Amino acid sequence: MLECEAIGHDYSSAGRTLTVLKDITFRIEDGGYLAIVGPSGSGKTTLLGLLAGLDRPTRGRVLLEGDDLGRLAEDDRARLRRSKVGFVFQSFQLIPTLTARENVQVPLELAGTDRAAPVAQELLDRVGLGARSHHYPSQLSGGEQQRVALARAFSTRPRILFADEPTGNLDAATGATVVELMESLNAEFGTTLVLVTHDLDLAARARRNIRLADGAIVFDSAA
Amino acid sequence: MTSTGFVLRMAWREARAARRRLALLTASVMAGVGALVAVNSFTDNLTVSVAEQAQALLGADLAISGRKPVTEVKVAQRLVDSLRSTGGDSVAVASSVNFAAMAYMPTSGGARLVQVRSVEAGWPFYGTIETSPAGMWGRIQDGAAIVDPSLLAAIGAQVGDTMALGEGRFPIVATVINVPGDVGLQMALGARVFVSTDALPGTGLLGFGARVQHETFLRLPGTIDPQAVAASAGPVLRAERMRVRTVADDRDNLTDGLTRLGNYLGLVALAALLLGGLGVASAVHVFIRQKLDTIAMLRCLGATSGQVFAIHLVQALAMGLLGSVLGALLGVGLQQVMPIVLEGFLPVGVRVVPSAKAILLGIGLGVWTAGVYALLPLLGIRDVSPLATLRRDADPPPRRRDPARIAAALALAASVVTLASIQVGSWWQGAWFAAAIGGALLVLWLASIAVIRAARRWTPASWSYVWRQGLANLHRPANQTVTVVVALGFGAFLLTTLFTAQYNLLREFRIDGAGEGRPNLLLFDIQSDQRELVSGTIRGEGITPSPFTPIVPMRLSEVNGQRVRQILERGTTTVPDSVESEGGERDGSLWAFRREYRSTYRSDGATVEQVTSGRWFVPGATGSGRTADEPVEISMESGLAEELGVGLDALITWDVQGVPVFSRVTSLREVNWAQFEPNFFVIFAPGALNGAPQTWVTLARASNPAARGRVQRVLAERAANVTTVDLGDVQRALEAVIDRIVLAIRFMALFSLITGAVVLIGAIATSRWQRIREGTLLRTLGATRWQVLRIISVEYAALGLASALVATVLASAGGWALARQVFKSNFVLPVVPMILLALGLVALTTIVGLWNSFDVLERPPLEVLRAE
């Protein structure tokens, strides 16, 4: 379960403080499917970063499975991400110097799994890239890269998956394939899905929508 | 364990794709490690070779030397007799006499000052003396001479000719190739001539005033320990002003000297390695900057900052190891060159074998340097936030007063001090070296900051676009000014400092220089009744000799009431430190008490002397020196006074040919020994010594070498005991020796420049992509390739100029400090050579810069823009 309690976040830039999130409170149950939507600059990405424990909120609390992320040290948050969180990014964020399979292996190895290579190969087979496991990211198309990123995100069977504009860099057809894949994995593993997007069609597929504007929630379909 | 496994696997996977970028790190340590391994390996070889050939160095087990032959000193003779009776037939004795004399070729008319070494049959007992033609060594016992090949060339003779030494005539049967234990420096004062001791009386050269060194060599059976003999007989012999030497003494002296030379050469090599460290730091910095995305992603996936840090540290260490191993291989190759660089300067034949110790030490130092320099930029990894996967500008500002960074900086400083101390063998000198390096780097860094500010503020708006853009490159974001100025400036600073020091050192010795009017012919051992003849001969060539200076040989008998004989016997003085500190260089301790003084008397001071305390002689105020109540005034060289532990008003009694002369020190002088003038440790007020047995010395300047040759020839024929030294020859010999050492040091310093070039290439690579992109944009906007080329030229020429200027200023300070503090000589700035060096550096920087930026001109704009 993921909860946020009255979180707010400020950035200081050139000596001025900029408030990007104001008093955000909601909760997602396990296995939930949430889309966060809103215009550019509304605070979507910042909220995603806070929910995933990539940063600490200036105010309020984020609780992931009961752990207060703001109270954990950076390396402890890293360990928590390692075991419970998966990511998918708009720009794929594969490590360019590793092959497809090695990219999928990284979270498994970090978790200390013995069978990292066969498990990674299996996941690549699942996303239809089994034959391309030795290719480097630069040798793959955008859609293929995003599928590798999906395989990586699900490799450790995370409790929650965060996706930042997962189809933003893909054409419509490829984007649809990726989303279907994400949803089927969500269904199969019972993973909670949180995605941030501009794409209202994509958001419509989620069971719940939260709309942000100027750093505050202006609409919550569950409310 | 899984964490370690992960770190190692990731380090390997990442390095696989970044080989080219990491190669820069490898290259940065390679040259420095290569130079270190070459020097240290060679020094090890030398030490081993000296140990292996130790017996041959002395050619005997024990040697007793002094101004008198053993037969004239009772205790010495008794020692030899007792050794003979203990050891029986297995004891062998051979005596030798060394002195300087004029060799003269009646056939060609050539004459030259030589060092005569007479030996008796049997010596050397160990080792062989190589001659050409081979196997002629024994022939000297038949009345022949064997000489240095340089002598034949100098006096126009060849093997088979007959040479005159005083009244004696010696057929030259061979030239000598190698005499164990002799170093190049010794030959500066004259070529060696070997003859039989039995033939010496026939030369008539051993009369009054001749400075003769007698040496008796003994071969001992295994039952007698030479070290024990030396220890027990040493004090008694010392009191008689005789020295006893063993194989171990010779070996230790030589090893010490050679190790010191090796250590200093190693220090120059170490400077290259430390400079390479800068290359490592800049390579790692660039590498990390390019890896920010990956680092952020790894953090996002749950890698701890420690793990990410470890992945990159392992990479830096692995590349450092690779560079060190390659460097060690390079060093082993270079080591083969070292004997050639130092040819003729080494006392033993050196077997060149790679030294495992030197190789391991070199690799260890290389890896350590790579690690410790990589640490600071690597610590930046901890500041990379996982949030950077979502937003590029997410990095928090670097922490202030970060304990890890402070610790890394301290570790770096401590490492430099430790490495230098290990290399030079002294903490104090190591710290000085580190401080000097640190100071130079600091100045270069400050200068580079000043260049950046100056370029930002003072580039005139009226200048053409090409100039403004080129100079703006010096201060724009991600500029390379600091790296290039520091790295290149440091290499140039080392080389230029060595150049200025060498220039000044050699200038001190220069005698033939036009218009300087310094004397270049030195004549000594002139008997009183030969003054007319010598003066006439010189004047016959149209040259005016300087006034004749008297020389009176004497020894110390009492110093402030202490009998010198007792001091020598005891082996210590009341002066605790002064003697010991100089001991290594001045023939063991007590040299000042033991030596024979060749003093003069006169009323005026010489030009090269400066009274530092007390006053010069007042006419009429000085005593006769005949009794202790009437001491004659003397002026003493201040260094000698320190050695003897005396000051003004000290009372010193001299033994002048058996007659006591009482004296009082009334002034201390500084003497510039580097000047070729008759310099004296002790000068007496006139009066007391006028009647003492004395010889005379005079100087002359003959610009024409032929005239100098004629004077030498005539005097060798008509006054064989007079020694004539062509100072031009001495100068050339000294220069040859200094050149050898300087060549060796420069050879090492070259590696700093090579490393500097690697760092330069690295610095250029840092901004290469940005440069290509900008150049392309400029071309898209309509700039011609020629304009882009000129912009790049302006930038690199400015960088080269800034580096050269700072390096020149630093090197002038360094050269001044070396000249004044170490060599105690005057300092003159070699202006023209330094300007040429600086221009060379500017050219080098511009060429390397243009060569590396060639892509900017070659790539079609569209290709670059598409890759964006």
Side-chain angles (χ1 to χ4, degrees), chain B residues 109-139:
Chain B
R112 193 61 51 138
L113 177 71
V114 294
Q115 300 180 73
V116 181
R117 281 171 82 174
S118 83
V119 287
E120 279 186 331
W123 188 86
F125 300 125
Y126 305 107
T128 48
I129 290 172
E130 288 173 52
T131 58
S132 164
M136 301 301 275
W137 178 248
R139 290 284 306 279

Side-chain angles (χ1 to χ4, degrees), chain B residues 544-628:
Chain B
T544 314
S546 69
F548 284 56
T549 308
I551 292 193
V552 181
M554 57 182 67
R555 288 180 177 283
L556 276 174
S557 160
E558 274 187 32
V559 175
N560 277 337
Q562 269 201 334
R563 293 190 60 77
V564 169
R565 170 178 274 275
Q566 284 165 355
I567 295 175
L568 289 173
E569 212 160 341
R570 217 172 42 229
T572 54
T573 67
T574 47
V575 219
D577 295 333
S578 56
V579 176
E580 289 306 322
S581 63
E582 294 276 323
E585 286 161 32
R586 288 190 164 172
D587 192 25
S589 56
L590 300 178
W591 66 275
F593 291 91
R594 190 173 52 228
R595 78 190 301 277
E596 183 181 60
Y597 286 86
R598 306 173 73 77
S599 308
T600 193
Y601 56 87
R602 63 164 171 246
S603 50
D604 55 336
T607 50
V608 292
E609 300 170 328
Q610 230 182 345
V611 171
T612 51
S613 63
R615 54 159 181 79
W616 194 247
F617 315 130
V618 179
T622 181
S624 69
R626 292 216 187 90
T627 66

Side-chain angles (χ1 to χ4, degrees), chain B residues 158-234:
Chain B
Q158 50 193 353
V159 171
D161 288 355
T162 295
M163 174 184 66
L165 281 174
E167 306 292 319
R169 295 294 179 271
F170 300 85
I172 300 172
V173 293
T175 56
V176 61
I177 298 172
N178 178 33
V179 181
D182 277 10
V183 294
L185 199 62
Q186 282 168 347
M187 276 174 274
L189 293 170
R192 294 164 300 184
V193 169
F194 294 90
V195 294
S196 159
T197 303
D198 295 339
L200 284 188
T203 64
L205 289 171
L206 301 182
F208 168 72
R211 279 146 317 122
V212 176
Q213 179 80 12
H214 293 269
E215 192 149 31
T216 298
F217 296 99
L218 290 114
R219 185 186 67 200
L220 301 175
T223 48
I224 302 177
D225 175 14
Q227 239 15 68
V229 175
S232 68

